[in-house]
Amino acid sequence: MMLALGMFVFERRTLPYHSMRHSAEYGWASNAQVGKRSAYQFIGAGIEEITVSGALYPELTGGRISLSMLRLMAEQGNAWPLIGGNGVIYGMYVIKNIEETGTEFYSDGQPRKIDFTLTLTRVDESLTAMFGNLKDQATRLMNDAADKLATVGVS
């Protein structure tokens, strides 16, 4: 698995991508000062996007069905969890844009090669807001487990 968006898994059989670009903006307001540099204040995280691009060869890799599945997910208007193949949790993302370009056509008009670009935009506030404070959750879990073990007489 390279990446998972909700239940859609990016892999060789579906949508193998050859590049992944992650961009994040951060807001800073400036206030001009007389005789000094402008003062800046952090106003929060801005737009965060992930763009994956690749080429599909329907005889070898995924094809139009995989792209159609992503289009259906996009049309539902839902946010989906995005998780990397290495276990990195990126957050909740919506499908903002899907582009495809078919080239090298068969005689029936089907492309031998489909270049695609998928743009995802993050919509959750933060991983802490999405999952809560993991340290607090782990502490509560350990305390609850210790309490339950104490009530059944396990030391």
Side-chain angles (χ1 to χ4, degrees):
M1 173 182 96
M2 300 170 72
L3 189 69
L5 178 65
M7 297 302 288
F8 185 87
V9 177
F10 291 80
E11 58 186 357
R12 185 171 181 192
R13 294 178 309 199
T14 59
L15 278 178
Y17 54 88
H18 61 74
S19 72
M20 178 175 172
R21 184 176 60 87
H22 186 182
S23 68
E25 296 176 9
Y26 300 93
W28 289 88
S30 65
N31 189 12
Q33 300 182 67
V34 177
K36 297 181 183 178
R37 291 180 194 237
S38 293
Y40 283 85
Q41 181 179 7
F42 182 65
I43 57 173
I47 296 172
E48 188 170 345
E49 289 187 334
I50 290 182
T51 303
V52 294
S53 300
L56 300 175
Y57 298 89
E59 293 177 334
L60 305 172
T61 62
R64 291 194 180 276
I65 293 173
S66 296
L67 289 169
S68 294
M69 289 177 61
L70 284 173
R71 288 186 197 287
L72 287 172
M73 289 173 67
E75 289 171 5
Q76 289 180 358
N78 294 328
W80 306 92
L82 184 66
I83 302 170
N86 57 359
V88 172
I89 300 170
Y90 291 99
M92 298 295 287
Y93 281 77
V94 295
I95 300 171
K96 184 176 176 182
N97 188 30
I98 300 173
E99 294 180 33
E100 67 178 88
T101 303
T103 57
E104 303 173 25
F105 296 94
Y106 290 105
S107 60
D108 66 354
Q110 293 296 316
R112 292 182 178 160
K113 179 182 177 189
I114 303 169
D115 291 307
F116 71 91
T117 301
L118 174 67
T119 304
L120 308 170
T121 302
R122 186 171 180 181
V123 294
D124 61 272
E125 288 298 316
S126 68
L127 290 178
T128 303
M130 189 167 78
F131 295 114
N133 184 320
L134 295 178
K135 181 181 176 189
D136 290 345
Q137 289 178 23
T139 302
R140 280 194 307 269
L141 179 64
M142 294 301 291
N143 291 339
D144 290 347
D147 290 344
K148 287 185 185 200
L149 290 174
T151 59
V152 293
V154 177
S155 302

